[in-house]
Amino acid sequence: MDVSRIRALRGPNLWSRHTAIQAIVSCQGAEVAISELPGFEARLRERFPELGDLIPSDHLDTVSMAHALEFAALGLQAQAGCPVTFSRTAQTLDQGVYQVVVEYTEEDVGRLAFERAEQLCLAALNDTPFDLDGVLKEMRDLDEDIRLGPSTGAIVTAALARGIPIRRLTQGSLVQFGWGSRQKRIQAAETSLTSAIGEAIAQDKELTKKLLHASGVAVPIGRPVEDEDDAWAAAQEIGLPVVVKPQDGNQGKGISVNLTTEEQVRRAYRVAVDYRDDIMVEKFLSGHDWRLLVIGDKLIAAARRDPPLVIGDGTHTVRELVDIVNSDPRRSDGHATSLTKIRFDEIALARLEEQGLTADTVPGRGVRVVLRNNANLSTGGTATDVTDDVHPELAAAAVAAAQTVGLDIAGIDVVCDTMYKPLEEQGGGIVEVNAAPGLRMHLDPSFGKGRAVGEAIVGMMFPDGPDGKPDNARIPVVAIAGTNGKTTTSRLIGRIFESNGLRVGMTSTDGIYIEGRRIDSGDCSGPRSARNVLMHPDVDAAVFETARGGVLREGLGFDMCDVAVITNIGLGDHLGLNYITTVDELAVVKRVIVENVAPTGTAVLNAADPVVASMAHHCHGDVIFFARDRMNPVLATHRAQGKRVVHVERDTIVCGEGRKKQRIPLANIPLTRNGSIGFQVDNAMAAIATGWALGYAWDVIEGALAGFVSDAATAPGRFNVFDYKGATLIADYGHNPDAILALVGAIDNMPAVRRSVVISGAGDRRDDDIRQQTEILGDAFDDVILYQDACQRGRQDGEVIGLLREGLANARRTKQIDAITGEFIAIDTALNRLQPGDLCLILIDQVEEALAHIAKRIAEAN
Amino acid sequence: MKNKDIVFRDTISLRGPNIWTYPPVIETWIDIGELEDFPSSKIPGLYERLSAWLPGLVEHRCSYDERGGFLRRLEEGTWAGHILEHIVLELMTLAGLPDGFGRTRETTTRGVYKLVVSNFHEEVTRMSLDVGRELLLAAIADQPYDLDEAVRLLRRKVDRKYLGPSTAAIVLAGEKRGIPHIRLLDDGNLVQLGYGAAMRRIWTAETDQTSAIAETISRDKDLTKELISSVGVPVPEGREVDSADDAWDAAEDIGLPVVVKPTDGNHGRGVFIDLMTREEVAKAYAIAVEEGSGVLVERSIQGIEHRLLVVGGKLVAANRSDLITVTGDGKSTVLELIDSQVNIDPRRGTTELHPLSIIKIDTAARIELERQGLTGDSVPIKDREVLIQRNANHAFDCTDEVHPDTAQVVALAARVVGLDIAGIDLVCQDVSKPLAEQGGAIVEVNAGPSLLMHIKPGIGKPRPVGQAIVDNLFAKDASGRIPLVGVTGTHGRNTVAKMVAHLIHLSGQHSGLACTDGIYLDRRHVQKTNAANWEGGRRLLMNRSVQAAVIENGARVILGEGLAYDRCSVGIVTNIVAEAEDLSRWDTQPTGGEYYTTPRSIYRTQVDVVLPSGHAVLNAEDELVADFAELCDGEVIFFAVDPANPTLLAHLAAGKRGVTVADKRVVLRSGADETRLSRLVDAPYIGKARQPTHIANVLAGIAAGWAMGLSKEVLTTGLKTFGLDLADPAALILQAAKKSQPKKPATARK
C-alpha cells in the first residue's frame, strides 16, 4: 500500500462540509481486497479492537486496504477524543488506486492519525506489534496541545452557534471572528476591544484602588502613616476595622488584621515598626473570596472561591485525606475537568504548619483543614456559582469597577461576607480587577450551574442590529464558477456592490483586487486568496471566482456564500486533470459552491446549460434561473411556480417573479452591444440575478451595469474590440471549445469582408479539446493563423499545432492556414494582411504582453 | 555676614487655579531676616556672581519687560525673595522644564515674603527651592557652589518624575484644544485627558483605544508579517527556523543576502543583516536563538530604514535614518574619509545644537566594514563606495516625501494589526517612489512607538503628532469637558451646590457632587467626610461615570489647595462676608492694595476660571460679588431676591440674564423677557419662612441650572422637590398620600 498526495481540505469540499485529510492510496495485488489477505482483519482488530465495521460507503466495493486505512484513521481520532464522524474511500479510474478522505477537527491530529493508521495496517499485514495506547496518548496530547482551551473554546462555540465565521490565526488562542470590515478578534478572554491601558492599570493594584475609590467603589482604602498617633487618626478616617502593615511587607510579617480598638491599632503599629519604617493603615476586609465576571456593562457570572481543604474523619492523616479527595474522577491534573487535584506541596505544608499541623496529623472528625490561602482552581480550590444571588448594587459596583479600569471583560475579586447585600452595608470591598480572567469557574463550576459566558462575550462584541437581527459578522460573499464568463460576471457583480457603497474585494484568475487595486497577481482563484480577501479590514463585500483547482486541493476558503453563480459548464475545460474526466464529474466540483450556499442565500444558475440547471437540487437556499430564451423549459417551469427567473424578451432583460416583472433594456448595458454579444448578455443576466438575490434596488443594479465598460484597460482579454486601419480587431483569452463557440456566436453578428483568426492551443488540454477548437473556427473564418504557445505544458514541439491542424481538416470556410512560432509574430502576420472592413479575432495567450503589443501596433498605424 | 540666612517658614502646594495664577504653583513663605536690610545693590559682587553662574537670567524680562530686565533690577537693587524666585525659575529651566511663573509678595510681617513659583512636579519644585536657597546664600557669602552637580541631580529628577517628551507633546496638544489633563501616576506617563464621562486616557503613545490583542500581535513579528502580507502589504519573505542548518536552508530558499533575527526581539537585539555565507548565518543563529523566542530568516531588504507613524489610519509623520557612506580616493584611510567627507558637515557635532552626530567607528560600523573586507585604517581604491553605518539615527524628517501609495500601505498595515497608533519600520531606497518597483518592504509594526523623532527631528520640520493623537481621541469640537459647576462664597455654597446637583440629577445625567458633607454620585452618598476640597473635586473628575459635576470650594481651598479643576462651565459666587471668616493664617487683608491677599483676590478665582463658553452666576445684591462680572470670560447671570436691585436692572437693561422674584414666584429674566417658574411657597426648601438667604440660595441654584441649559420643567421640578428628604422611600409614600388630599400645599418640615 502506498499513500501519497496527502492534503488537508480546510473548507467545504467535494466530499463533505467537514474539514478532512485526503490522500491517494494505491493498493497492490491482494491489498485490493482484504478478504484475500488471510487473517488480516483479525490481526487488525486485535491491534485496534475499537475499529468499526468495514462497510464501504460505495457498498458494492470490495473492502480494500485503503478502506481499512480509512476506518482506522477515523477510529483512532474518535478514540483519542476528537469528535469526527465522516470518512469516505472512492475508487479512481485506475485499478487499485483510491481517494481516501477522513474528517479531522485539528489538522495536525488528522495528519498524525493518517500516519498511525497506515502503520497500524502495515503492522496487521506483517503481524508486527502496534502500541495502541501509546498512539492514542500521543494523539490525545497533541490534540490537547493544539485545540482551543476551554475559555477560548467556549467563546468560539458561541460564535459558531451564531453563525459567525471563525478563523484561528495562530496555534495559540488568537481567533478571528467575522470577515472583512466586520472582523474582530479574541484571545482567550480578551477581545480586540480590550484596552492595553486598561490591562496595564489592572496590573497596578494601587493605581486600580485609587481609580476605583474615585469612582465611589468600595475598596480597602488606606494610607501611609507617620507615627502611632497618625495610625489611630488614619484608622478613624478609614473606619474600623483596619489592617496595620508594613508597606511592601511580605510573608505576613508585622501584619495585624481586624483591629477594632484604639489600643489594638496602637499596639499593631508598634509591632509593625519593628519590621519596616513605612507603615500603612488599610481598611480590613473579611469574608469569602468571590469572583464576579463583568462583560461589557453587565455582570454575567459570579462564583464563590474556596481554598482547597480536607475534612478530618478521625482516622486518616492529612496526607491521606488529600489523596482521597484527589481520587475524585472530576479532579484532573490540567484544565480539562471542572476540578483540579489539590496540590500538596511546600505551600500546603507551610499552611499546615501555621495551623500547628503536619502532613501526618490525624484531624478529628469534622475538622476543616485548609491547605492554601488562595482559592485558585488550578491549585485545587473550588468554585461555586452564585450568579443568581448577587445584589444589584453589588453587581453595579463590579460593573463600575470594570469600566473605571477600562476593561470590556474583567474578573472582579471581591472580599465580603455575602452576595445578598451591597458592599458598603457589610464592609466588603473590591480587592483586584483582573484582565483576561479565567472563565472555567463560570463555564463549569465545581458546584452549581454553568453560565453562558461565551454567548455573553460574543453578544457584547457583536450586538444585535437595529432590526433586532443577530449580527453574524459576515459580509456578503458571492462565489462564481463555470467554464466561461466568470471574470466578466465577477466584475459586473463587483460593480453592483460598489454602486451600493460597499468596498469590494475580488479574486480571479489574474489576481486579487481590493477596491480596484490589485494586491496580488497570478491565479488567485483558490481558497487562500479568498481567505486573504476575507482577512482584509477594508472589504465590505467579496466576489470570488472559484476555480476547481483550489476546491480539489483544499476545499473552499469560506464556509458559506450568499450567492453562488454558475455561468456554464458546456463541454468542459481542463478535463483529465485530478481524476476529473467527464463533464459530470467536473460539475460535481463546480457544484461545491452551490452546495454551500447559505440557507438564506441564492444560487444563480444558467438554465440553458442542462448540467448547471441540474445543480438546483443541491442548493439549500433559493434558486434564480437565467437563460436568454424565455421558453427554456427549466426556466419556464421555475417561473410557472412563481419563482425568480431572468431572461430576454426582445430588447430587454426581464426579471420575473410570479406576476412581478422588472425590465432592463439591453441598450442600457453597453457591454452587450445592444444585445448583439450573446455571452455578454448571459453575463449581464447572471450579475443582475445576483444583485436581485442580494436585495439591492433595481435602479442601483441598472446603474451599475450601465456604467460598466469592458475594454482592454478594464477587462483585459475579455472581448476587447479595436479598430486597426479600418478593420475590426478582437482580442480574447478564450481557450476552450465553449469559449470559442461563444466568440463565434458573437462575431457572427458583426459584418466583415474577410475573417481571420489567430490561435494557439494550451498543451494541458486533452487532444480532443484542442482539435475541437479549430473545428469550430474552421466553419467561421477564412484565414487561420496557428502559433505555438510560449510554454508547451508538457507537449512535444509542434504537437499542439498538429492537433489544431487536424481540427481544420474538414473546415467549411477556412481557405488559408499558417503555422508560426511566437505569439507576437503571429499577431503581426495577421495584422499585416488586414484590409479595411476585415475582421480579425486574436486568441491571446500572454494577456498583458499581447495587449500591449497590439496597442503598440495600433498606435503605429495611426 | 554670618546671620544672613533665608528660612522657609511654610510651603503650600496649590495644585490648581489659585489667587496667583491658573496652573499649579508652590507658595513658600520665606523669612529673609536681616537681608531685608541688604538689597542686592548693597552686597558687593552678588550681581557679578549670579550673572556668571546663571547666564540664562539675562532672558528674564521681569520689571522692565525687556531682555535683561531682571539683571538690571539685580544691579539696581532688589531683595532676596525676588532674587530667589528668579534663581528657582532659572534652575527649573536648566533642568529641562518649560518656562514658569514666578511672583514674590511681601506680607504684613517685615522680612517675610510669599514666594510663588510654577509647580510642574512637586518634588522637583521643592528641590529647586532648596538648591536655589543654597546657591543664593553661597553667592551672598561669596562661597563656591557646585551648580553643575545640583543641575545634574535636578535633571535626573525631572527625567524620572516629569512627563516624558512624547506624553508631554500629547498633553500640550490637548491643552491647545482646551482639553484638560490629570496625571494619574506620580512618576509615570499615564494621563487622563478630559474630565469625568468625557475622559480618555493615554500612556505614552498608547491610548485607551489601543487594543491589547493588537499589541500582542505586533510583538509577534512572524504573525504580523503573515497578517499584513495576506492583504498585500510587502514584507520580507522568510520563515521561522529551528536550527542553524535549517536557517541556512531557509536562506538558500529565500535568496542571499538574508537577515537573521529573534521572532519577538525588539530594539535590534540579536538582529543580523545582510548575511551572505553559511558561517555568518550559523553565527547569527546562535546569537539570535539566545533571545529565547525563536529565530526568523528573511530576505534582506536593500535600502534605508524609515519609521512611519500612523495615527488613526493616517500617516502623520515619517522619518529616515542616516545612511553613511564614503567614497574612496585611493589615498585616504576610511577614518580620514569619514572626517573629510562626513564629519565636515557643519550639522554634525557633539552638542545638542547639532542635529547630527559625529560619526565614529563603533562596533556596528566595525562589523559593517569587516563585511566589506575593510578596517578604519584601510585605504579604499578611488571611487569605491564604502558603507560606514546604516540606520545611524532617525534624524531626517521625510513626511512630505512619502509616496501616497506607501502612505496607504502603512496605514493598512497598522489597521490589519489593529493598532490606532503604530510606528511602521519600512526599508526602501527611496520613499518617494512606490515600494513594489524598488523591492521595499515593511519589516516591523510597533505598538507604542516613540514620538520624539517626529517631534524633534534632527533635520526637517517637526510634525504635530501630539495633535494628531488628540484629534484621533476627541471629535473635532470636543474638549473632553463635562458640565462642571464650581460654587464658592461665604454662606450658602453647600446648599447651592446640592441644589445644582439635584437639578442635574433630575435632568437624567449622572451627577457628581463634592461638598462639605462628602461625595454624592447621583443619590449615593459614597463619602461622608468633608469633600469640599481639591481631593474631593478630583475624585469626581477622575470618575468615568460622572456626566456633570458640582464642586463646592471655600476660601480655604482657594488659599490652601487650589481649585480641583482648571476651568469650569459655571462659576457661582453666593456672597462674601469677610468678617465671618478667619483667614488670618494666609495673611489676608480685608482691604489692601494689589500686593496683599484680599477677599476679592480669593473669590475672584472662581470667576476667573469660567470658560468663554461658560457662565458666572453672581449675587447682584453683594457689591463685591457683583463687581466680578467684568472679570468673567463667559456670560454673567445675576441673581437677586429684590427684583428692583439696580445692578440686576442695569444688567437686564443691557439684554442680559438674571433670576429674581416677582409676584412671589421665581422668575427667569432675559432682557425684557420673563419666564415664571413656581411659587416660592411651593419650594419646600424656602417654605413659609421665606428667609431671604434661603431664597437667594435657590435663585443661585436655578440660575446655574438655567446657565447649563436645563429645561424649564427640570428647573420647576427642582424648585418643588429640593429640600424634600428623597432618600427615605417612606417619606415619598407619605408625600404621595398628602398630594392626593386636595388643596393642602406641601411644605417641608425640618
Side-chain angles (χ1 to χ4, degrees), chain A residues 607-625:
Chain A
D609 188 319
V611 181
V612 177
S614 67
M615 292 180 187
H617 307 295
H618 296 270
C619 180
H620 294 280
D622 288 342
V623 170
I624 301 179
F625 279 119

Side-chain angles (χ1 to χ4, degrees), chain A residues 167 169-170 174 176 183 185-187 190-201 204 207 210-217 237 393 397 400 402-407 424 503 512 514 517 519-520 528 532-533 535-538, chain B residues 183-186 190 192 199 201-204 206-217 220 223 226-227 229-233 404-406 408-409 412 415-418 519 521 524 526-527 529 538-540 542-545:
Chain A
R167 177 173 166 193
L169 296 180
T170 57
L174 184 62
Q176 175 156 321
Q183 64 183 284
R185 294 172 183 151
I186 63 155
Q187 181 161 35
E190 285 176 305
T191 75
S192 30
L193 306 174
T194 305
S195 155
I197 289 187
E199 293 196 348
I201 291 173
D204 184 332
L207 175 60
K210 176 174 153 185
L211 295 177
L212 293 190
H213 178 60
S215 292
V217 172
E237 283 162 31
E393 274 187 38
Q403 292 187 338
T404 296
V405 171
L407 289 171
E424 291 80 1
R503 294 167 296 171
I512 298 179
I514 307 291
R517 294 160 66 98
I519 65 158
D520 198 358
R528 192 188 153 83
N532 285 349
V533 166
M535 185 78 210
H536 201 295
D538 300 340
Chain B
R183 227 179 141 180
L184 296 176
L185 284 173
D186 185 46
L190 177 62
Q192 168 184 329
M199 80 166 72
R201 291 182 186 137
I202 57 159
W203 200 325
T204 319
E206 286 174 301
T207 77
D208 46 20
Q209 279 172 354
T210 306
S211 153
I213 288 185
E215 291 199 346
T216 311
I217 292 173
D220 183 338
L223 176 61
E226 188 188 320
L227 290 178
S229 73
S230 77
V231 297
V233 174
D405 285 354
T406 306
Q408 250 187 353
V409 164
L412 175 63
R415 212 149 60 241
V416 170
V417 171
I519 287 181
L521 297 173
R524 277 198 311 139
V526 300
Q527 178 184 318
T529 52
R538 273 297 157 113
R539 248 185 101 177
L540 294 187
M542 280 163 58
N543 185 333
R544 260 197 167 150
S545 66

Side-chain angles (χ1 to χ4, degrees), chain A residues 172-251:
Chain A
S173 52
L174 184 62
V175 182
Q176 175 156 321
F177 286 178
W179 286 337
S181 57
R182 314 290 318 282
Q183 64 183 284
K184 283 179 184 159
R185 294 172 183 151
I186 63 155
Q187 181 161 35
E190 285 176 305
T191 75
S192 30
L193 306 174
T194 305
S195 155
I197 289 187
E199 293 196 348
I201 291 173
Q203 265 157 28
D204 184 332
K205 272 180 129 178
E206 282 307 312
L207 175 60
T208 300
K209 232 158 69 174
K210 176 174 153 185
L211 295 177
L212 293 190
H213 178 60
S215 292
V217 172
V219 288
I221 51 165
R223 65 168 175 88
V225 295
E226 280 161 22
D227 52 35
E228 204 179 299
D229 290 340
D230 194 28
W232 174 234
Q236 285 171 297
E237 283 162 31
I238 293 159
L240 299 167
V242 294
V243 180
V244 173
K245 61 177 185 183
Q247 267 182 59
D248 310 318
N250 55 357
Q251 293 163 359

Side-chain angles (χ1 to χ4, degrees), chain A residues 433 497 533 723 758:
Chain A
V433 174
F497 279 132
V533 166
D723 182 78
V758 179

Side-chain angles (χ1 to χ4, degrees), chain B residues 111-123:
Chain B
V112 175
Y113 293 77
K114 293 179 183 177
L115 187 163
V116 180
V117 285
S118 282
N119 186 12
F120 297 104
H121 189 280
E122 184 113 12
E123 282 182 44

